[in-house]
Amino acid sequence: MSATAHAPLLSRRTLPYYLGGFLGPFGTMVVISIYPELRSDFGVGTRAVNWSFSGYLLPMAALMLVSGTIGERFGRRRVLRLTFIAYAVASLLAAVAPYVELFVAARALQGVSNAFITPVLLAALVEIVPAARSGGAVGIYASFQAAGSASAPLIGGVAAAVDWRLAFIGVAVVAGVLATQPIVGEPRPGAAAPPIKPLLTRRMVSLWVASFAGAAGPLGAAVLVGLYLRDELGTTAAAAGAVLALGGACTALASPSLGRLLDRWGARRSAFVALIAASAMVAPLGMLDSLATVVVAFVAFNLAIGFALVILLQLAALAVPENRSGGVSSSLSFRFAGHAIGPLLLIPLFDRRPEAAFLVAAALGVVMLAAVLVAIGGAVRSTASSPAAGHTR
């Protein structure tokens, strides 16, 4: 057995991959708790401000259809260096934007840059760890993503007490540092360029459906929870950010263990537990009448969501070995399209009847479970004779 089989999954070699995983969700979620401040500074309503979230996600989702394949074609190291530089520049533009249109445009540029981060990083990560421990590595990666999602609303809310623009300056600094870090992956020109055709399978299409439905529903429920805390329970930006951060922090702490549990249980059993729990727990979030009950329910809900995200990431990373980045990026494309479109559909419903928006999110969780099970069934059939088949047992 090689020495790498027992090498620590969190080490100096892998840390840049995990830190990159932190940055993307942080930049995505940093606006969630500061909608009122953005409305006030720019003199616009909630729907206009929400474009700083959906306008970030839509171009990112569209580009993710091909971003992973581009990363494989031109080299992961080169593409990520340019990506982090562009992300830093876009963050600085958001920090100095004098009006909402320029702010939304800067957020869109952030989204375009972010399209390359997770697909390329995750594809590289699963190739430098033993296959039998990929769930653990993906779990650690997901924990850093959850930490980014969790800390962003809190830091954004705290920054808003002074000036919300400070949060974007911080993002620019982190992106600039990551641009200097080495990542495995040289260009694959000519005949070695990864193909698109292997992505067009029943297994991948099912993952696309699962990613979209889940993100539009339970995986994206933090947006609804943030609004519920601010508009229905009357909390401050810092308090709402703290609640969202607490839920995400619990996910971050649990994700490495959830990844190991995925390795032990297999994808099918894990999906049943995680996705049924997530769908069942999201519905009551719009019916609670105290901050304390929301906190408890949201923490429990986030543990189920964290498990679901680890499952989706591992399935996508293992689905297309000949174009691993392309498999991850296409799955994430549909996931972030769901994150972008979900609020556009659910926020108007939330404005009329908050509990109805959460019930629709729960129904989308059921769709996600059905699609994941179809994808796992396809994985079992396609890998039945492979030693790696245990990843989807």
Side-chain angles (χ1 to χ4, degrees), residues 202-203 206-207 209-210 266-276 311-312 315 365-381 392-393:
R202 179 184 179 186
R203 182 182 183 186
S206 298
L207 284 177
V209 172
R268 187 186 302 276
R269 181 181 177 189
S270 299
F272 268 113
V273 172
L275 301 183
I276 290 175
I311 294 164
L312 283 178
L315 287 174
V366 176
V367 175
M368 179 189 182
L369 173 60
V372 165
L373 293 177
V374 171
I376 293 170
V380 171
R381 287 190 294 273
T392 51
R393 65 186 182 276

Side-chain angles (χ1 to χ4, degrees), residues 16 18 67 90 95 115 123 178 190 197 212 232 240 247 262 277 290 318 328 342 381:
Y18 299 135
S67 63
L178 286 173
K197 187 176 180 180
F212 181 86
E232 300 298 316
L262 171 59
S290 74
L318 298 175
V328 175
R381 287 190 294 273

Side-chain angles (χ1 to χ4, degrees), residues 68-74 76 119 123-124 126-127 186-201 203-204 315-330 382-383 386 388:
T69 302
I70 291 172
E72 297 283 1
R73 172 65 177 82
F74 292 100
R76 297 166 185 160
V126 298
E127 290 188 357
E186 298 301 328
R188 296 168 61 184
I196 294 290
K197 187 176 180 180
L199 301 179
L200 305 178
T201 63
R203 182 182 183 186
M204 281 307 306
L315 287 174
L318 298 175
V320 189
E322 60 268 49
N323 186 3
R324 205 178 293 278
S325 293
V328 175
S329 72
S330 64
S382 65
T383 60
S386 169

